[in-house]
């Protein structure tokens, strides 16, 4: 039987159909059956988790890591990175400067919301499309964007800028139509009053600056 | 090409939230064409009434569109608000209707180029420091419209255009503030070299909204009152007093933001001497605007990080930007 290594890269990830809750740095070994999880595939597509090529159980026998097994309903197995000999505090994660004391809590809430929305959205995806990674990735990206839209993470005191959903993506052509006719335009004339001198001075100034 | 024709080449195009103005040289004078930046879409059934009233309109699909000053007048007749193609100084993303209307307006004020690819400098605001908006799309839209009109489109900062228009005698050194309808644009230059430029997302519309809220009136009523003219140093009645209060707040906001921006660059950009502060734009038109601004500045002068030789109004506040853009276009041809 082949097993696949699942690395969690997100602060917190819920995979409801595998009944898994993982934190960043957690490693889980999964059976082949578990890879069919649509949520797992979607999380892989957005890079929240990664699944590495599996190896057979016989390969692992030479150095079997102590494992902590989770409920067997789905065949998923959780194993910690290091042998659990004694309770060891997890290594400190590199600290990022963030704005807002409650950022972690807000992110956790957002991820919870994301998981709920993800489950709702995935239930609406037609069965024949649910295996399409591109569709899943889009669905998950949308759900993540909606869940995280109110959280701005800042590093180094500089607020992050987001591209909003209504941000333009193209400029249409044919904006000047010949057939739309003439409009009344108000016209007036004023004295040129030094305009030519200003233009000459500006040209000289720009030449001087460029040399 | 004859030198006579050569001297006529070049166009400046000021694209404001309230007005679109094109400036050209013609017969030794500056010829200005202006259209109000507003439109109103109506059902085709209104055609007969518009014809009787002598109002021009554009047929568009199954409806009709009234553009310019007439749009504001017709909006009152039909009890509606005229639409503005620019929102707070910038093209509203996704407003395809508005883009087509802008195309027609620009084409009408620019006319046909004197020669193919005649240079047209058009203004763009600087990115606002107080809003998460940029000017990339805005610039792209107008670059395309001006190019489709047959011109070579070159964009230029709005407040720098005032520097070119108004500070030639000071060697293009000064601080320019364009008090517009959608936003205020600010630029600092020494010897024609830009020190900084930025905009704030407040302007005449912000004043109207605030004053209307304060006295329980409507924005259009306050705007009409403001455009009718009043003395900032001697406001009469609650509405004018509310207007003066919001004017003071806008001026303070612009000056405080200017001071903050200057402090960010002062190590890299030195001011050798006092420079003039030149103000322009439709929002600077009330009587005694410059003395009012000077009195506001006087209270913050001690803490202000730069020195002004004088505070003055642009020679033609409504057309200074178009004129500055024209100067830049003309210098592309002058030899």
């Amino acid at each position: 039987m082949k097993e696949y290594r699942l690395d969690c890269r997100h602060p917190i990830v819920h995979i409801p159909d595998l009944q898994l809750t993982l934190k960043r740095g957690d490693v889980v070994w999964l059976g082949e059956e578990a890879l069919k999880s649509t949520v797992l595939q979607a999380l892989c597509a957005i890079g929240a988790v990664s699944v590495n090529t599996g190896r057979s159980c016989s390969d692992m026998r030479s150095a079997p890591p102590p494992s902590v097994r989770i409920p067997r309903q789905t065949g998923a197995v959780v194993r910690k990175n290091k042998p659990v000999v004694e309770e060891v505090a997890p290594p400190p994660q590199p600290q990022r400067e963030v704005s807002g004391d409650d950022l972690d809590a807000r992110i956790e809430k957002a991820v919870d919301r994301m998981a709920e929305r993800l489950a709702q959205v995935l239930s609406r995806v037609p069965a024949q499309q649910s295996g399409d990674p591109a569709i899943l990735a889009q669905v998950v990206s949308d759900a993540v964007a909606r869940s995280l839209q109110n959280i701005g993470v800042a590093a180094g005191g500089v607020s992050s800028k987001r591209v909003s959903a209504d941000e333009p993506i193209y400029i249409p052509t044919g904006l000047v139509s010949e057939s739309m006719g003439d409009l009344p335009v108000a016209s007036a004339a004023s004295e040129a009053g030094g305009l030519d001198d200003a233009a000459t001075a500006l040209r000289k100034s720009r030449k001087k600056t460029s040399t | 090409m004859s030198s006579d024709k050569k001297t006529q080449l070049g166009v400046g195009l000021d694209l404001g939230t309230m007005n679109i103005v094109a400036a050209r040289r013609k017969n030794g004078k500056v010829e200005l064409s202006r259209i109000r930046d507003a439109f109103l879409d109506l059902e085709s059934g209104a055609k007969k009434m518009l014809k009787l009233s002598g109002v021009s309109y554009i047929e568009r699909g199954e409806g009709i569109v009234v553009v310019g000053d007439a749009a504001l007048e017709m909006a009152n007749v039909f009890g509606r608000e005229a639409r503005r193609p620019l929102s707070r100084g910038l093209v509203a993303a996704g407003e395809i209707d508005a883009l087509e209307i802008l195309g027609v307006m620009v084409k009408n004020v620019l006319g046909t180029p004197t020669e193919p690819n005649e240079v047209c400098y058009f203004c763009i605001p600087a990115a606002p420091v107080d809003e998460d908006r940029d000017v990339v799309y805005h610039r792209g839209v107008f670059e395309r419209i001006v190019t489709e009109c047959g011109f070579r489109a070159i964009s230029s900062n709005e407040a720098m255009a005032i520097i070119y228009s108004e500070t030639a005698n000071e060697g293009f050194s000064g601080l320019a503030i364009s008090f517009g309808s959608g936003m205020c644009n600010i630029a600092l230059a020494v010897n024609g070299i830009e020190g900084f430029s930025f905009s704030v997302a407040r302007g005449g519309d912000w004043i109207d909204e605030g004053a209307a809220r304060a006295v329980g009136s409507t924005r259009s009523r306050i705007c009409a009152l403001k455009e009718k003219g009043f003395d900032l140093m001697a406001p009469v009645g609650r509405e004018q007093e509310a207007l003066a209060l919001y004017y003071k707040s806008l001026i303070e906001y612009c000056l405080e933001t200017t001071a903050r921006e200057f402090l960010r660059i002062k190590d890299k950009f030195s001011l050798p001497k006092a420079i003039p502060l030149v103000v322009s734009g439709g929002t600077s038109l009330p009587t005694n605007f410059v003395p009012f601004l000077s009195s506001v500045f006087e209270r913050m002068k001690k803490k202000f990080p730069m020195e002004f030789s004088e505070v003055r109004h642009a020679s033609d506040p409504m057309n200074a930007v178009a004129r500055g853009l024209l100067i830049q276009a003309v210098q592309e041809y002058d030899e």
Side-chain angles (χ1 to χ4, degrees):
Chain A
M1 176 190 168
K2 268 198 156 186
E3 287 197 330
Y4 294 83
R5 180 185 160 120
L6 174 67
D7 286 277
C8 179
R9 296 172 173 174
H10 200 269
I12 288 188
V13 167
H14 296 287
I15 311 178
D17 50 355
L18 298 184
Q19 296 185 354
L20 280 177
T21 299
L22 304 174
K23 289 185 178 175
R24 181 180 283 151
D26 280 353
V27 175
V28 178
W29 291 89
L30 301 171
E32 206 159 356
E33 192 67 18
L35 297 188
K36 290 177 184 168
S37 157
T38 50
V39 176
L40 175 63
Q41 289 171 10
L43 290 167
C44 282
I46 61 166
V49 297
S50 68
V51 178
N52 294 328
T53 313
R55 54 182 180 171
S56 68
C57 287
S58 58
D59 295 337
M60 296 159 62
R61 270 184 211 127
S62 54
S67 62
V68 177
R69 293 196 175 268
I70 62 162
R72 297 285 293 179
Q73 290 101 323
T74 58
V77 177
V78 175
R79 288 177 188 163
K80 288 197 175 174
N81 278 332
K82 294 177 180 177
V84 184
V85 179
E86 58 183 292
E87 283 292 321
V88 178
Q93 296 290 324
Q95 293 290 311
R96 279 185 77 199
E97 267 189 69
V98 294
S99 66
D101 296 331
D102 58 345
L103 186 61
D104 283 346
R106 292 167 65 199
I107 288 176
E108 278 189 29
K109 278 184 187 170
V111 171
D112 287 340
R113 284 201 304 274
M114 184 188 78
E116 282 172 24
R117 281 195 185 142
L118 198 55
Q120 289 167 7
V121 171
L122 286 175
S123 68
R124 292 199 295 271
V125 176
Q128 68 273 20
Q129 291 179 6
S130 61
D132 186 337
I135 293 172
L136 280 170
Q138 186 57 50
V139 165
V140 172
S141 296
D142 291 347
V144 170
R146 279 198 302 276
S147 295
L148 298 178
Q149 64 189 354
N150 293 323
I151 295 184
V153 180
V158 179
S159 66
S160 62
K161 290 196 171 184
R162 288 177 193 288
V163 177
S164 65
D166 59 354
E167 203 69 17
I169 53 170
Y170 77 102
I171 298 168
T173 53
L175 293 172
V176 179
S177 167
E178 292 296 326
S179 62
M180 287 186 105
D182 293 331
L183 299 172
V185 173
S187 294
S190 67
E191 292 301 320
L195 189 141
D196 290 334
D197 292 341
T200 306
L202 179 60
R203 186 166 51 81
K204 280 180 185 169
S205 163
R206 285 188 172 174
K207 268 190 178 170
K208 198 175 159 187
T209 308
S210 64
T211 54
Chain B
M1 184 185 300
S2 72
S3 70
D4 274 356
K5 189 178 177 189
K6 222 174 178 182
T7 56
Q8 306 295 315
L9 290 171
V11 189
L13 179 65
D14 176 9
L15 300 155
T17 306
M18 196 59 98
N19 290 291
I20 295 178
V21 184
R24 279 181 174 277
R25 280 191 314 175
K26 204 168 187 179
N27 303 322
K29 293 197 168 192
V30 176
E31 192 180 84
L32 299 154
S33 305
R34 174 189 306 276
I35 193 165
R36 185 78 119 164
D37 206 351
F39 69 101
L40 184 70
D41 38 2
L42 297 168
E43 300 287 326
S44 55
K47 256 188 219 178
K48 196 174 173 184
M49 194 272 276
L50 293 177
K51 275 181 186 166
L52 287 171
S53 320
V55 174
S56 304
Y57 58 85
I58 298 166
E59 296 202 39
R60 195 164 166 278
E62 291 178 2
I64 54 174
V65 179
V66 182
V67 182
D69 282 313
L72 297 179
E73 289 158 16
M74 286 297 117
N76 286 334
V77 171
F78 288 96
R80 290 175 49 190
E81 282 282 334
R83 289 168 69 183
R84 307 261 286 267
L86 301 188
S87 165
R88 284 177 295 162
L90 295 170
V91 169
E95 268 274 21
I96 301 294
D97 282 358
L99 297 189
E100 287 176 5
I101 302 298
L102 279 170
V104 182
M105 287 178 178
V106 169
K107 179 172 169 277
N108 276 270
V109 292
L110 278 181
T112 50
T114 309
E115 66 174 31
N117 293 318
E118 180 181 9
V119 169
C120 173
Y121 269 77
F122 66 97
C123 73
I124 50 164
V129 290
D130 50 359
E131 263 198 0
D132 189 7
R133 299 169 85 195
D134 63 49
V135 298
V136 176
Y137 185 65
H138 181 88
R139 177 172 44 215
V141 164
F142 283 110
E143 209 163 59
R144 180 152 294 171
I145 288 174
V146 173
T147 304
E148 286 185 3
C149 288
F151 292 82
R152 179 155 76 90
I154 303 175
S155 63
S156 174
N157 178 272
E158 180 178 328
M160 281 300 289
I162 297 171
I163 296 281
Y164 297 130
S165 167
E166 303 296 321
T167 65
N169 291 339
E170 287 93 356
F172 303 115
S173 299
L175 179 77
I177 307 182
S178 173
F179 286 93
S181 172
M183 50 173 42
C184 290
N185 268 272
I186 297 154
L188 169 75
V190 172
N191 298 326
I193 297 167
E194 184 182 310
F196 65 63
S197 66
F198 65 92
S199 67
V200 296
R202 294 181 189 181
D205 292 343
W206 178 83
I207 290 175
D208 298 344
E209 281 167 18
R213 260 198 320 270
V215 297
S217 183
T218 63
R219 202 182 78 173
S220 52
R221 180 179 154 76
I222 293 289
C223 181
L225 185 81
K226 187 181 76 180
E227 290 186 354
K228 200 173 155 192
F230 75 106
D231 190 340
L232 270 169
M233 299 295 273
V236 178
R238 286 174 66 233
E239 287 165 329
Q240 288 191 9
E241 279 175 10
L243 275 170
L245 192 70
Y246 275 89
Y247 260 96
K248 178 173 172 277
S249 176
L250 178 66
I251 290 167
E252 279 173 349
Y253 183 66
C254 286
L255 291 174
E256 281 164 6
T257 315
T258 300
R260 201 164 52 239
E261 291 297 310
F262 180 72
L263 290 173
R264 283 172 51 170
I265 61 145
K266 73 169 187 173
D267 294 336
K268 293 175 260 177
F269 196 86
S270 61
L271 290 177
K273 57 182 179 184
I275 54 169
L277 166 58
V278 184
V279 296
S280 185
T283 300
S284 74
L285 291 181
T287 308
N288 281 323
F289 181 83
V290 169
F292 187 76
L293 186 146
S294 300
S295 69
V296 174
F297 175 67
E298 202 60 35
R299 285 194 285 276
M300 55 201 309
K301 195 175 178 180
K302 279 184 185 169
K303 288 186 283 180
F304 208 76
M306 65 178 93
E307 197 184 338
F308 297 126
S309 54
E310 64 173 322
V311 181
R312 66 174 188 248
H313 230 154
S315 50
D316 183 357
M318 288 298 281
N319 300 313
V321 172
R323 190 185 159 90
L325 294 162
L326 176 60
I327 287 169
Q328 292 177 84
V330 166
Q331 63 89 31
E332 295 275 338
Y333 291 101
D334 276 346
E335 289 298 335

